[in-house]
Every structure is written in structure tokens, then in C-alpha cells.
Amino acid sequence: SSGINAEYGGDMGAYYPPYQGSPVGAAAVTHAIEKEIVAEEISFLLHFGDLSYARGRGYIWDQFMTQMTRVASQVPYMVGVGNHEYDHIAGGEKDPSGAQAEGFHPNWGNFGDDGGGECGVPTMHRYIDPGTGNKVFWYSFDYGLIHVVQFSSEHDFRPGSRQYEWLRNDLRNVDRTQTPWIVVTSHRPIYTSQDSEGDHIVSRHLRMALEELFYSYRVNLHLSGHYHSYESSCSVVSGDCVDPGSGTVYIVVGTGGYGLEAQDYIYYPWSQTQNCKDHGYSKVVVNETHMHVQFVTTPHRTVKDNFVIPIWK
């Protein structure tokens, strides 16, 4: 079928008191998405990590699940894990993802204990995965013309790792006659220009590990959060802009409701649009030849980024 509409975002949080985050942001984004559903303008929703920000507090998970009831009861709502669902430095024996010891802690990374002891357990037991990968931690599915891959930036993603081999095999077996579009998500960004040294180092390692794979299998769009801001790239290969439809477009959309970033941006020629002033979400509409991408801000659903990606040449 054509005209598949999807919405994407990350870094939301619960907005019921006594939550300490940004109540206006999470409430406004949730209500805007509810309006899109009533208008039948979306087919499914992806949330790539930093869901409730409960960090071990069960009552906040309850608040967040209540908050998302009108969304999740009407359209498929598929989630991935972020640092605030998973990262840990103790309790690894309870980690349901099968990671070794205390998980992924390379000496160049900033993977700490942001999960508050959850180790991914509440996320795994609250959400259904399609059974195509490693539970809720990484998986893929087809929806209409789109093949969606949610991988975990909180687990080892380097060549030779369990997750990398799964990802390569998944991309290798996509039938582009049935699903001509590939959308890949992770919590942490692969391309970002915001000025944060630790996360920049992680993004460079993600790029070194995965960009060649994305190019080889013609990934159309990569979406991430982690930064509580919005940024979109050109079609890019190895840091250089290429003709539209000849490289992957990278979008950071961590504007789901948590407090927005205050860092400056570093100039990179591949960075097209930057916004750390508005909460919102990405909306994507595809047909057989084009992908239409928007950044929709709240509370008035104002479009502040708007572009088209042609099918990979």
C-alpha cells in the first residue's frame, strides 16, 4: 500500500506530578499525537529510548503507561531502549538482554548507570516485541512499504558483536521489492553537531561501526534521540553531502517532552536544520518513490522542518 504515515520521537518522560521533568513538553507532545490519531493521520509510532525516565521508580512507569494509553491502544507503539532504561554498572545478572557482565562499557564511551538499576527489565515486561531479534532490545518489522530496524546503542554495536551480526543479516535480507524504504533507529545519534564531547565520541564510534553497513544496504533514514533537540542532515556519506537519494539522512529528534538542551552547535556542512527551542516529533509519509519528512512542534503542531527524500538511486 502507499501513503504510510508514521511518527517518531524519543526522550519523553511522564508528565504527571510529582515528576521533576518538563510537564508542558511531555503533555503537549502526547496530546498532539492523540489528535493526529483521531484525525487518522498516523499508522504507527516509534519511540527510540528514554521512555518514562522512571529510573527504578515503579510509580513513574505506571504514570507513563497511563499517559500513553490513548496512543498505544489505537496504533502500534513500538519502543527501543535508551540509557535511562538500560545502562547499569551493577546487577548485570538480572539483565534480560544477555549482555556479558555489566554490559557495554568501552573505555571511550560514557555508558554509566543512567537506568537507575532497571537493566531493561521494566521495559521488556511492559512492551511486546515482534520476536525478530533480541526481545525489546533490538528487532525489526515491516509495515507497509517500510522495513523498520530498532537497534540498541546501549549494547555492543561494533563489527563482530552479536548485535552487529544480527543487524547485517537483517539488512541483507530485506526484500526491497516489498519494502523499498529502510528506517533504522537507535537511541544515541550517529550524526550530531551539538557541543557535547562525550556524546560526540560515541557518535563517531557509531559512525565508524555502522555507516559503511548503512551505505551498502541503502538505509534511507536513521532516527535517534538522546539529545533533547532536533537536527536533520542532508543525504550524507562519510561526512559529505551527496545527491538526495544517494546516502542516508540522519535525524535527531529527542524532543518528546523532557527538558530541552542548551548546548551550542558546532558547524558541520552536513547539518541542515537545528532546533533546541521546541518540543515535537517527526512525521514521515512514504509512497513507492518518495519519503516526506516533517518536524512537527507543539503545542500547535507547527511544521518547522519539511523535506522530501527520493528513493535510493
Side-chain angles (χ1 to χ4, degrees):
S1 62
S2 62
I4 299 299
N5 305 336
E7 288 185 359
Y8 308 101
D11 304 85
M12 179 173 273
Y15 64 76
Y16 294 93
Y19 179 61
Q20 61 185 354
S22 174
V24 174
V29 172
T30 304
H31 293 157
I33 292 172
E34 290 172 358
K35 291 177 182 177
E36 299 258 21
I37 292 171
V38 170
E40 297 184 346
E41 293 184 6
I42 64 171
S43 304
F44 69 94
L45 178 67
L46 294 181
H47 191 164
F48 25 86
D50 284 9
L51 310 174
S52 71
Y53 286 85
R55 290 172 283 200
R57 294 165 291 181
Y59 73 92
I60 292 181
W61 269 114
D62 291 343
Q63 291 169 351
F64 181 75
M65 299 300 282
T66 300
Q67 170 184 322
M68 298 304 294
T69 295
R70 291 184 182 178
V71 173
S73 64
Q74 297 184 73
V75 296
Y77 174 50
M78 307 299 289
V79 306
V81 295
N83 52 309
H84 288 298
E85 284 76 47
Y86 178 76
D87 289 12
H88 58 86
I89 56 175
E93 70 277 3
K94 299 178 181 178
D95 180 349
S97 72
Q100 297 295 313
E102 298 304 335
F104 187 46
H105 295 282
N107 58 12
W108 44 261
N110 58 355
F111 302 87
D113 59 351
D114 295 340
E118 290 190 0
C119 303
V121 174
T123 307
M124 190 192 76
H125 287 290
R126 281 172 167 81
Y127 295 98
I128 297 171
D129 66 271
T132 54
N134 182 20
K135 302 171 185 167
V136 75
F137 302 100
W138 60 81
Y139 59 85
S140 66
F141 63 93
D142 294 337
Y143 196 107
L145 299 171
I146 307 174
H147 180 74
V148 178
V149 182
Q150 298 232 67
F151 82 89
S152 172
S153 58
E154 310 313 299
H155 292 75
D156 194 349
F157 49 76
R158 296 170 297 186
S161 67
R162 175 188 176 197
Q163 181 175 208
Y164 180 91
E165 294 305 320
W166 171 85
L167 177 60
R168 181 170 62 178
N169 187 62
D170 183 89
L171 294 175
R172 177 189 295 144
N173 287 289
V174 176
D175 183 351
R176 301 304 280 264
T177 66
Q178 299 298 312
T179 51
W181 300 99
I182 297 179
V183 174
V184 178
T185 80
S186 61
H187 180 62
R188 297 177 190 250
I190 295 178
Y191 275 86
T192 173
S193 70
Q194 276 206 290
D195 191 2
S196 176
E197 182 179 3
D199 288 321
H200 260 283
I201 293 171
V202 174
S203 73
R204 288 198 294 269
H205 281 269
L206 278 159
R207 200 181 308 175
M208 287 188 292
L210 300 175
E211 188 169 22
E212 184 176 349
L213 192 68
F214 285 9
Y215 183 78
S216 296
Y217 293 106
R218 299 179 296 159
V219 171
N220 305 98
L221 179 64
H222 176 263
L223 295 148
S224 64
H226 196 56
Y227 284 100
H228 302 168
S229 58
Y230 175 84
E231 183 171 20
S232 62
S233 79
C234 58
S235 293
V236 61
V237 177
S238 300
D240 295 321
C241 290
V242 295
D243 291 339
S246 300
T248 303
V249 172
Y250 295 85
I251 296 179
V252 179
V253 58
T255 51
Y258 206 74
L260 295 169
E261 301 285 357
Q263 295 105 318
D264 290 333
Y265 289 92
I266 302 168
Y267 172 74
Y268 290 103
W270 48 259
S271 181
Q272 303 293 289
T273 302
Q274 304 160 341
N275 185 321
C276 56
K277 296 180 179 179
D278 296 292
H279 289 103
Y281 49 88
S282 281
K283 185 174 181 179
V284 175
V285 180
V286 304
N287 59 28
E288 288 83 356
T289 59
H290 291 84
M291 174 180 284
H292 185 196
V293 183
Q294 295 180 323
F295 176 50
V296 183
T297 63
T298 57
H300 303 298
R301 290 194 285 169
T302 304
V303 175
K304 293 199 174 179
D305 195 15
N306 188 21
F307 59 92
V308 173
I309 305 172
I311 200 73
W312 196 290
K313 298 176 181 178

